[in-house]
Amino acid sequence: MTETPSRDAIVAVLKTIEDPDLFIDIYFLGLIYSINIDGGEVVIEMTFTTPLCPSGPQLKQDVMLKVGSVPGVTKVTVNITFNPPWEPSEEVKGLLGMM
């Protein structure tokens, strides 16, 4: 019987994916809106910093590959949404010098 992947394991790999423009991981940036696990199937809803993010396709591919490598994951679906639009947290704003 295949083990069900843990949310912690999925979050851990998401924290290894860095936005190539901001050099901060996508989980900390708040680009991950939800993680749903159903057996070995993982559905992630995420956004990009802007709708025209040139790194968007690569970020989506990285999420699919890295989450797919977590033990117990059999399928990864990544849904991209811009509703609500990404808004950096106060902590992210501070790191980016936006305050």
Side-chain angles (χ1 to χ4, degrees):
M1 182 169 187
T2 305
E3 66 180 278
T4 299
S6 73
R7 179 179 171 79
D8 289 344
I10 292 168
V11 168
V13 298
L14 290 171
K15 288 180 176 180
T16 69
I17 302 170
E18 192 174 85
D19 182 293
D21 299 313
L22 300 177
F23 308 107
I24 300 172
D25 79 79
I26 63 172
Y27 192 82
F28 182 79
L29 279 172
L31 299 181
I32 304 300
Y33 286 167
S34 67
I35 301 167
N36 294 302
I37 304 167
D38 184 8
E41 295 187 18
V42 179
V43 178
I44 294 177
E45 185 171 309
M46 67 177 289
T47 193
F48 304 134
T49 54
T50 67
L52 299 175
C53 176
S55 303
Q58 184 61 51
L59 286 174
K60 180 178 178 180
Q61 185 68 20
D62 288 350
V63 169
M64 292 180 72
L65 289 173
K66 290 198 174 189
V67 172
S69 73
V70 173
V73 173
T74 57
K75 180 180 178 186
V76 180
T77 303
V78 177
N79 298 319
I80 306 299
T81 185
F82 297 104
N83 187 19
W86 177 71
E87 180 66 34
S89 67
E90 294 302 313
E91 193 172 6
V92 170
K93 286 179 183 177
L95 280 174
L96 297 175
M98 298 169 67
M99 294 179 73

PDB file of all heavy atoms in Angstrom, residues 63-98:
ATOM      1  N   VAL A  63       6.898  23.268  -9.752  1.00  0.00           N
ATOM      2  CA  VAL A  63       5.968  22.768  -8.734  1.00  0.00           C
ATOM      3  C   VAL A  63       5.528  21.354  -9.084  1.00  0.00           C
ATOM      4  O   VAL A  63       5.549  20.456  -8.234  1.00  0.00           O
ATOM      5  CB  VAL A  63       4.750  23.707  -8.575  1.00  0.00           C
ATOM      6  CG1 VAL A  63       3.662  23.063  -7.714  1.00  0.00           C
ATOM      7  CG2 VAL A  63       5.184  25.043  -7.976  1.00  0.00           C
ATOM      8  N   MET A  64       5.175  21.136 -10.331  1.00  0.00           N
ATOM      9  CA  MET A  64       4.712  19.805 -10.741  1.00  0.00           C
ATOM     10  C   MET A  64       5.811  18.758 -10.548  1.00  0.00           C
ATOM     11  O   MET A  64       5.551  17.671 -10.025  1.00  0.00           O
ATOM     12  CB  MET A  64       4.221  19.837 -12.184  1.00  0.00           C
ATOM     13  CG  MET A  64       2.949  20.661 -12.342  1.00  0.00           C
ATOM     14  SD  MET A  64       2.323  20.720 -14.022  1.00  0.00           S
ATOM     15  CE  MET A  64       1.704  19.057 -14.173  1.00  0.00           C
ATOM     16  N   LEU A  65       7.033  19.084 -10.950  1.00  0.00           N
ATOM     17  CA  LEU A  65       8.130  18.122 -10.843  1.00  0.00           C
ATOM     18  C   LEU A  65       8.522  17.852  -9.393  1.00  0.00           C
ATOM     19  O   LEU A  65       8.684  16.701  -8.993  1.00  0.00           O
ATOM     20  CB  LEU A  65       9.349  18.617 -11.626  1.00  0.00           C
ATOM     21  CG  LEU A  65       9.226  18.592 -13.143  1.00  0.00           C
ATOM     22  CD1 LEU A  65      10.436  19.267 -13.800  1.00  0.00           C
ATOM     23  CD2 LEU A  65       9.083  17.165 -13.647  1.00  0.00           C
ATOM     24  N   LYS A  66       8.681  18.896  -8.610  1.00  0.00           N
ATOM     25  CA  LYS A  66       9.145  18.707  -7.233  1.00  0.00           C
ATOM     26  C   LYS A  66       8.080  18.071  -6.347  1.00  0.00           C
ATOM     27  O   LYS A  66       8.389  17.193  -5.549  1.00  0.00           O
ATOM     28  CB  LYS A  66       9.652  20.020  -6.652  1.00  0.00           C
ATOM     29  CG  LYS A  66      10.964  20.449  -7.299  1.00  0.00           C
ATOM     30  CD  LYS A  66      11.693  21.470  -6.480  1.00  0.00           C
ATOM     31  CE  LYS A  66      13.051  21.733  -7.113  1.00  0.00           C
ATOM     32  NZ  LYS A  66      13.896  22.556  -6.260  1.00  0.00           N
ATOM     33  N   VAL A  67       6.834  18.524  -6.480  1.00  0.00           N
ATOM     34  CA  VAL A  67       5.769  17.898  -5.680  1.00  0.00           C
ATOM     35  C   VAL A  67       5.582  16.454  -6.136  1.00  0.00           C
ATOM     36  O   VAL A  67       5.359  15.560  -5.325  1.00  0.00           O
ATOM     37  CB  VAL A  67       4.463  18.708  -5.766  1.00  0.00           C
ATOM     38  CG1 VAL A  67       3.305  17.958  -5.104  1.00  0.00           C
ATOM     39  CG2 VAL A  67       4.639  20.073  -5.103  1.00  0.00           C
ATOM     40  N   GLY A  68       5.735  16.217  -7.425  1.00  0.00           N
ATOM     41  CA  GLY A  68       5.619  14.859  -7.948  1.00  0.00           C
ATOM     42  C   GLY A  68       6.693  13.917  -7.429  1.00  0.00           C
ATOM     43  O   GLY A  68       6.523  12.695  -7.465  1.00  0.00           O
ATOM     44  N   SER A  69       7.789  14.460  -6.921  1.00  0.00           N
ATOM     45  CA  SER A  69       8.875  13.629  -6.394  1.00  0.00           C
ATOM     46  C   SER A  69       8.684  13.260  -4.923  1.00  0.00           C
ATOM     47  O   SER A  69       9.442  12.461  -4.378  1.00  0.00           O
ATOM     48  CB  SER A  69      10.219  14.351  -6.568  1.00  0.00           C
ATOM     49  OG  SER A  69      10.334  15.429  -5.654  1.00  0.00           O
ATOM     50  N   VAL A  70       7.677  13.831  -4.274  1.00  0.00           N
ATOM     51  CA  VAL A  70       7.407  13.520  -2.861  1.00  0.00           C
ATOM     52  C   VAL A  70       6.882  12.081  -2.772  1.00  0.00           C
ATOM     53  O   VAL A  70       5.993  11.700  -3.532  1.00  0.00           O
ATOM     54  CB  VAL A  70       6.381  14.515  -2.266  1.00  0.00           C
ATOM     55  CG1 VAL A  70       5.958  14.094  -0.861  1.00  0.00           C
ATOM     56  CG2 VAL A  70       6.953  15.934  -2.256  1.00  0.00           C
ATOM     57  N   PRO A  71       7.434  11.282  -1.854  1.00  0.00           N
ATOM     58  CA  PRO A  71       6.955   9.901  -1.710  1.00  0.00           C
ATOM     59  C   PRO A  71       5.443   9.836  -1.493  1.00  0.00           C
ATOM     60  O   PRO A  71       4.895  10.582  -0.681  1.00  0.00           O
ATOM     61  CB  PRO A  71       7.704   9.389  -0.475  1.00  0.00           C
ATOM     62  CG  PRO A  71       8.956  10.217  -0.436  1.00  0.00           C
ATOM     63  CD  PRO A  71       8.534  11.582  -0.936  1.00  0.00           C
ATOM     64  N   GLY A  72       4.798   8.977  -2.245  1.00  0.00           N
ATOM     65  CA  GLY A  72       3.354   8.786  -2.138  1.00  0.00           C
ATOM     66  C   GLY A  72       2.543   9.600  -3.128  1.00  0.00           C
ATOM     67  O   GLY A  72       1.365   9.326  -3.347  1.00  0.00           O
ATOM     68  N   VAL A  73       3.152  10.610  -3.767  1.00  0.00           N
ATOM     69  CA  VAL A  73       2.418  11.415  -4.747  1.00  0.00           C
ATOM     70  C   VAL A  73       2.348  10.644  -6.063  1.00  0.00           C
ATOM     71  O   VAL A  73       3.360  10.206  -6.593  1.00  0.00           O
ATOM     72  CB  VAL A  73       3.087  12.795  -4.954  1.00  0.00           C
ATOM     73  CG1 VAL A  73       2.420  13.550  -6.106  1.00  0.00           C
ATOM     74  CG2 VAL A  73       3.023  13.618  -3.685  1.00  0.00           C
ATOM     75  N   THR A  74       1.117  10.478  -6.564  1.00  0.00           N
ATOM     76  CA  THR A  74       0.917   9.767  -7.826  1.00  0.00           C
ATOM     77  C   THR A  74       0.489  10.695  -8.953  1.00  0.00           C
ATOM     78  O   THR A  74       0.640  10.365 -10.120  1.00  0.00           O
ATOM     79  CB  THR A  74      -0.151   8.665  -7.660  1.00  0.00           C
ATOM     80  OG1 THR A  74      -1.372   9.269  -7.194  1.00  0.00           O
ATOM     81  CG2 THR A  74       0.305   7.601  -6.669  1.00  0.00           C
ATOM     82  N   LYS A  75      -0.061  11.855  -8.595  1.00  0.00           N
ATOM     83  CA  LYS A  75      -0.527  12.808  -9.606  1.00  0.00           C
ATOM     84  C   LYS A  75      -0.486  14.206  -9.006  1.00  0.00           C
ATOM     85  O   LYS A  75      -0.848  14.399  -7.854  1.00  0.00           O
ATOM     86  CB  LYS A  75      -1.949  12.470 -10.042  1.00  0.00           C
ATOM     87  CG  LYS A  75      -2.517  13.409 -11.092  1.00  0.00           C
ATOM     88  CD  LYS A  75      -3.943  13.028 -11.479  1.00  0.00           C
ATOM     89  CE  LYS A  75      -4.502  14.004 -12.490  1.00  0.00           C
ATOM     90  NZ  LYS A  75      -5.911  13.737 -12.770  1.00  0.00           N
ATOM     91  N   VAL A  76      -0.048  15.183  -9.825  1.00  0.00           N
ATOM     92  CA  VAL A  76      -0.012  16.573  -9.389  1.00  0.00           C
ATOM     93  C   VAL A  76      -0.776  17.417 -10.403  1.00  0.00           C
ATOM     94  O   VAL A  76      -0.524  17.337 -11.593  1.00  0.00           O
ATOM     95  CB  VAL A  76       1.433  17.110  -9.289  1.00  0.00           C
ATOM     96  CG1 VAL A  76       1.428  18.566  -8.836  1.00  0.00           C
ATOM     97  CG2 VAL A  76       2.270  16.257  -8.363  1.00  0.00           C
ATOM     98  N   THR A  77      -1.700  18.207  -9.896  1.00  0.00           N
ATOM     99  CA  THR A  77      -2.411  19.174 -10.722  1.00  0.00           C
ATOM    100  C   THR A  77      -2.120  20.552 -10.137  1.00  0.00           C
ATOM    101  O   THR A  77      -2.255  20.757  -8.930  1.00  0.00           O
ATOM    102  CB  THR A  77      -3.933  18.916 -10.706  1.00  0.00           C
ATOM    103  OG1 THR A  77      -4.169  17.586 -11.156  1.00  0.00           O
ATOM    104  CG2 THR A  77      -4.668  19.902 -11.600  1.00  0.00           C
ATOM    105  N   VAL A  78      -1.694  21.477 -10.996  1.00  0.00           N
ATOM    106  CA  VAL A  78      -1.426  22.845 -10.558  1.00  0.00           C
ATOM    107  C   VAL A  78      -2.396  23.762 -11.288  1.00  0.00           C
ATOM    108  O   VAL A  78      -2.380  23.839 -12.517  1.00  0.00           O
ATOM    109  CB  VAL A  78       0.033  23.259 -10.843  1.00  0.00           C
ATOM    110  CG1 VAL A  78       0.255  24.705 -10.433  1.00  0.00           C
ATOM    111  CG2 VAL A  78       1.007  22.334 -10.126  1.00  0.00           C
ATOM    112  N   ASN A  79      -3.255  24.410 -10.530  1.00  0.00           N
ATOM    113  CA  ASN A  79      -4.199  25.368 -11.086  1.00  0.00           C
ATOM    114  C   ASN A  79      -3.693  26.776 -10.800  1.00  0.00           C
ATOM    115  O   ASN A  79      -3.371  27.095  -9.654  1.00  0.00           O
ATOM    116  CB  ASN A  79      -5.589  25.178 -10.476  1.00  0.00           C
ATOM    117  CG  ASN A  79      -6.161  23.807 -10.792  1.00  0.00           C
ATOM    118  OD1 ASN A  79      -6.034  23.310 -11.908  1.00  0.00           O
ATOM    119  ND2 ASN A  79      -6.766  23.180  -9.809  1.00  0.00           N
ATOM    120  N   ILE A  80      -3.628  27.592 -11.833  1.00  0.00           N
ATOM    121  CA  ILE A  80      -3.178  28.974 -11.696  1.00  0.00           C
ATOM    122  C   ILE A  80      -4.400  29.882 -11.629  1.00  0.00           C
ATOM    123  O   ILE A  80      -5.331  29.737 -12.418  1.00  0.00           O
ATOM    124  CB  ILE A  80      -2.293  29.396 -12.893  1.00  0.00           C
ATOM    125  CG1 ILE A  80      -1.128  28.409 -13.088  1.00  0.00           C
ATOM    126  CG2 ILE A  80      -1.804  30.826 -12.733  1.00  0.00           C
ATOM    127  CD1 ILE A  80      -0.177  28.299 -11.923  1.00  0.00           C
ATOM    128  N   THR A  81      -4.389  30.792 -10.668  1.00  0.00           N
ATOM    129  CA  THR A  81      -5.487  31.750 -10.539  1.00  0.00           C
ATOM    130  C   THR A  81      -4.914  33.144 -10.261  1.00  0.00           C
ATOM    131  O   THR A  81      -3.808  33.265  -9.744  1.00  0.00           O
ATOM    132  CB  THR A  81      -6.446  31.342  -9.398  1.00  0.00           C
ATOM    133  OG1 THR A  81      -7.554  32.240  -9.385  1.00  0.00           O
ATOM    134  CG2 THR A  81      -5.771  31.372  -8.039  1.00  0.00           C
ATOM    135  N   PHE A  82      -5.667  34.137 -10.629  1.00  0.00           N
ATOM    136  CA  PHE A  82      -5.291  35.521 -10.311  1.00  0.00           C
ATOM    137  C   PHE A  82      -6.387  36.188  -9.496  1.00  0.00           C
ATOM    138  O   PHE A  82      -6.470  37.402  -9.410  1.00  0.00           O
ATOM    139  CB  PHE A  82      -4.985  36.306 -11.594  1.00  0.00           C
ATOM    140  CG  PHE A  82      -3.807  35.726 -12.321  1.00  0.00           C
ATOM    141  CD1 PHE A  82      -3.978  34.956 -13.452  1.00  0.00           C
ATOM    142  CD2 PHE A  82      -2.528  35.909 -11.835  1.00  0.00           C
ATOM    143  CE1 PHE A  82      -2.898  34.387 -14.096  1.00  0.00           C
ATOM    144  CE2 PHE A  82      -1.430  35.342 -12.481  1.00  0.00           C
ATOM    145  CZ  PHE A  82      -1.615  34.580 -13.604  1.00  0.00           C
ATOM    146  N   ASN A  83      -7.239  35.349  -8.894  1.00  0.00           N
ATOM    147  CA  ASN A  83      -8.330  35.837  -8.080  1.00  0.00           C
ATOM    148  C   ASN A  83      -8.259  35.151  -6.729  1.00  0.00           C
ATOM    149  O   ASN A  83      -8.565  33.959  -6.657  1.00  0.00           O
ATOM    150  CB  ASN A  83      -9.665  35.565  -8.762  1.00  0.00           C
ATOM    151  CG  ASN A  83     -10.812  36.207  -8.029  1.00  0.00           C
ATOM    152  OD1 ASN A  83     -10.624  37.108  -7.236  1.00  0.00           O
ATOM    153  ND2 ASN A  83     -12.010  35.727  -8.288  1.00  0.00           N
ATOM    154  N   PRO A  84      -7.812  35.803  -5.690  1.00  0.00           N
ATOM    155  CA  PRO A  84      -7.459  37.219  -5.653  1.00  0.00           C
ATOM    156  C   PRO A  84      -6.048  37.450  -6.198  1.00  0.00           C
ATOM    157  O   PRO A  84      -5.223  36.544  -6.184  1.00  0.00           O
ATOM    158  CB  PRO A  84      -7.505  37.555  -4.155  1.00  0.00           C
ATOM    159  CG  PRO A  84      -7.116  36.266  -3.488  1.00  0.00           C
ATOM    160  CD  PRO A  84      -7.699  35.178  -4.358  1.00  0.00           C
ATOM    161  N   PRO A  85      -5.783  38.663  -6.662  1.00  0.00           N
ATOM    162  CA  PRO A  85      -4.436  38.992  -7.121  1.00  0.00           C
ATOM    163  C   PRO A  85      -3.442  38.860  -5.966  1.00  0.00           C
ATOM    164  O   PRO A  85      -3.802  39.085  -4.809  1.00  0.00           O
ATOM    165  CB  PRO A  85      -4.531  40.450  -7.569  1.00  0.00           C
ATOM    166  CG  PRO A  85      -5.984  40.741  -7.699  1.00  0.00           C
ATOM    167  CD  PRO A  85      -6.705  39.789  -6.777  1.00  0.00           C
ATOM    168  N   TRP A  86      -2.216  38.504  -6.288  1.00  0.00           N
ATOM    169  CA  TRP A  86      -1.185  38.359  -5.263  1.00  0.00           C
ATOM    170  C   TRP A  86      -0.927  39.690  -4.589  1.00  0.00           C
ATOM    171  O   TRP A  86      -0.829  40.732  -5.228  1.00  0.00           O
ATOM    172  CB  TRP A  86       0.107  37.844  -5.890  1.00  0.00           C
ATOM    173  CG  TRP A  86       1.234  37.735  -4.924  1.00  0.00           C
ATOM    174  CD1 TRP A  86       1.370  36.829  -3.909  1.00  0.00           C
ATOM    175  CD2 TRP A  86       2.402  38.561  -4.858  1.00  0.00           C
ATOM    176  NE1 TRP A  86       2.540  37.031  -3.227  1.00  0.00           N
ATOM    177  CE2 TRP A  86       3.209  38.097  -3.792  1.00  0.00           C
ATOM    178  CE3 TRP A  86       2.862  39.649  -5.601  1.00  0.00           C
ATOM    179  CZ2 TRP A  86       4.432  38.668  -3.456  1.00  0.00           C
ATOM    180  CZ3 TRP A  86       4.075  40.226  -5.267  1.00  0.00           C
ATOM    181  CH2 TRP A  86       4.844  39.731  -4.204  1.00  0.00           C
ATOM    182  N   GLU A  87      -0.844  39.633  -3.279  1.00  0.00           N
ATOM    183  CA  GLU A  87      -0.523  40.809  -2.467  1.00  0.00           C
ATOM    184  C   GLU A  87       0.549  40.374  -1.476  1.00  0.00           C
ATOM    185  O   GLU A  87       0.315  39.477  -0.674  1.00  0.00           O
ATOM    186  CB  GLU A  87      -1.770  41.296  -1.721  1.00  0.00           C
ATOM    187  CG  GLU A  87      -1.549  42.504  -0.857  1.00  0.00           C
ATOM    188  CD  GLU A  87      -1.216  43.775  -1.625  1.00  0.00           C
ATOM    189  OE1 GLU A  87      -1.723  43.965  -2.742  1.00  0.00           O
ATOM    190  OE2 GLU A  87      -0.428  44.578  -1.096  1.00  0.00           O
ATOM    191  N   PRO A  88       1.747  40.969  -1.532  1.00  0.00           N
ATOM    192  CA  PRO A  88       2.799  40.547  -0.616  1.00  0.00           C
ATOM    193  C   PRO A  88       2.448  40.855   0.835  1.00  0.00           C
ATOM    194  O   PRO A  88       1.826  41.873   1.126  1.00  0.00           O
ATOM    195  CB  PRO A  88       4.018  41.349  -1.071  1.00  0.00           C
ATOM    196  CG  PRO A  88       3.482  42.494  -1.853  1.00  0.00           C
ATOM    197  CD  PRO A  88       2.166  42.061  -2.409  1.00  0.00           C
ATOM    198  N   SER A  89       2.863  39.948   1.723  1.00  0.00           N
ATOM    199  CA  SER A  89       2.662  40.163   3.160  1.00  0.00           C
ATOM    200  C   SER A  89       3.571  41.303   3.620  1.00  0.00           C
ATOM    201  O   SER A  89       4.481  41.723   2.898  1.00  0.00           O
ATOM    202  CB  SER A  89       3.012  38.885   3.930  1.00  0.00           C
ATOM    203  OG  SER A  89       4.415  38.634   3.832  1.00  0.00           O
ATOM    204  N   GLU A  90       3.331  41.781   4.822  1.00  0.00           N
ATOM    205  CA  GLU A  90       4.174  42.851   5.367  1.00  0.00           C
ATOM    206  C   GLU A  90       5.628  42.392   5.462  1.00  0.00           C
ATOM    207  O   GLU A  90       6.548  43.161   5.194  1.00  0.00           O
ATOM    208  CB  GLU A  90       3.656  43.298   6.736  1.00  0.00           C
ATOM    209  CG  GLU A  90       2.285  43.963   6.689  1.00  0.00           C
ATOM    210  CD  GLU A  90       2.243  45.183   5.777  1.00  0.00           C
ATOM    211  OE1 GLU A  90       3.141  46.021   5.854  1.00  0.00           O
ATOM    212  OE2 GLU A  90       1.298  45.278   4.967  1.00  0.00           O
ATOM    213  N   GLU A  91       5.818  41.128   5.826  1.00  0.00           N
ATOM    214  CA  GLU A  91       7.173  40.584   5.933  1.00  0.00           C
ATOM    215  C   GLU A  91       7.866  40.557   4.566  1.00  0.00           C
ATOM    216  O   GLU A  91       9.030  40.937   4.451  1.00  0.00           O
ATOM    217  CB  GLU A  91       7.118  39.182   6.533  1.00  0.00           C
ATOM    218  CG  GLU A  91       8.457  38.670   6.976  1.00  0.00           C
ATOM    219  CD  GLU A  91       8.350  37.362   7.750  1.00  0.00           C
ATOM    220  OE1 GLU A  91       7.266  36.771   7.857  1.00  0.00           O
ATOM    221  OE2 GLU A  91       9.395  36.930   8.238  1.00  0.00           O
ATOM    222  N   VAL A  92       7.144  40.145   3.538  1.00  0.00           N
ATOM    223  CA  VAL A  92       7.710  40.126   2.182  1.00  0.00           C
ATOM    224  C   VAL A  92       7.993  41.550   1.716  1.00  0.00           C
ATOM    225  O   VAL A  92       9.049  41.828   1.144  1.00  0.00           O
ATOM    226  CB  VAL A  92       6.768  39.378   1.197  1.00  0.00           C
ATOM    227  CG1 VAL A  92       7.229  39.577  -0.237  1.00  0.00           C
ATOM    228  CG2 VAL A  92       6.719  37.894   1.535  1.00  0.00           C
ATOM    229  N   LYS A  93       7.069  42.461   1.984  1.00  0.00           N
ATOM    230  CA  LYS A  93       7.286  43.860   1.611  1.00  0.00           C
ATOM    231  C   LYS A  93       8.574  44.394   2.246  1.00  0.00           C
ATOM    232  O   LYS A  93       9.339  45.099   1.603  1.00  0.00           O
ATOM    233  CB  LYS A  93       6.100  44.726   2.027  1.00  0.00           C
ATOM    234  CG  LYS A  93       4.873  44.567   1.173  1.00  0.00           C
ATOM    235  CD  LYS A  93       3.752  45.451   1.692  1.00  0.00           C
ATOM    236  CE  LYS A  93       2.482  45.261   0.904  1.00  0.00           C
ATOM    237  NZ  LYS A  93       1.376  46.073   1.458  1.00  0.00           N
ATOM    238  N   GLY A  94       8.798  44.046   3.500  1.00  0.00           N
ATOM    239  CA  GLY A  94       9.999  44.470   4.180  1.00  0.00           C
ATOM    240  C   GLY A  94      11.262  43.918   3.523  1.00  0.00           C
ATOM    241  O   GLY A  94      12.236  44.639   3.318  1.00  0.00           O
ATOM    242  N   LEU A  95      11.221  42.635   3.164  1.00  0.00           N
ATOM    243  CA  LEU A  95      12.379  42.015   2.505  1.00  0.00           C
ATOM    244  C   LEU A  95      12.663  42.640   1.145  1.00  0.00           C
ATOM    245  O   LEU A  95      13.810  42.745   0.727  1.00  0.00           O
ATOM    246  CB  LEU A  95      12.139  40.510   2.322  1.00  0.00           C
ATOM    247  CG  LEU A  95      12.363  39.632   3.530  1.00  0.00           C
ATOM    248  CD1 LEU A  95      11.945  38.201   3.228  1.00  0.00           C
ATOM    249  CD2 LEU A  95      13.807  39.679   3.979  1.00  0.00           C
ATOM    250  N   LEU A  96      11.590  43.029   0.468  1.00  0.00           N
ATOM    251  CA  LEU A  96      11.742  43.585  -0.880  1.00  0.00           C
ATOM    252  C   LEU A  96      11.949  45.107  -0.872  1.00  0.00           C
ATOM    253  O   LEU A  96      12.045  45.716  -1.925  1.00  0.00           O
ATOM    254  CB  LEU A  96      10.514  43.227  -1.732  1.00  0.00           C
ATOM    255  CG  LEU A  96      10.289  41.736  -1.980  1.00  0.00           C
ATOM    256  CD1 LEU A  96       8.979  41.531  -2.734  1.00  0.00           C
ATOM    257  CD2 LEU A  96      11.459  41.113  -2.723  1.00  0.00           C
ATOM    258  N   GLY A  97      11.976  45.695   0.317  1.00  0.00           N
ATOM    259  CA  GLY A  97      12.178  47.133   0.411  1.00  0.00           C
ATOM    260  C   GLY A  97      10.982  47.934  -0.055  1.00  0.00           C
ATOM    261  O   GLY A  97      11.123  49.048  -0.557  1.00  0.00           O
ATOM    262  N   MET A  98       9.794  47.379   0.133  1.00  0.00           N
ATOM    263  CA  MET A  98       8.566  48.049  -0.331  1.00  0.00           C
ATOM    264  C   MET A  98       7.887  48.839   0.787  1.00  0.00           C
ATOM    265  O   MET A  98       6.778  49.301   0.606  1.00  0.00           O
ATOM    266  CB  MET A  98       7.589  47.008  -0.893  1.00  0.00           C
ATOM    267  CG  MET A  98       8.127  46.250  -2.094  1.00  0.00           C
ATOM    268  SD  MET A  98       7.105  44.829  -2.559  1.00  0.00           S
ATOM    269  CE  MET A  98       5.603  45.624  -3.109  1.00  0.00           C
TER     270      MET A  98
END
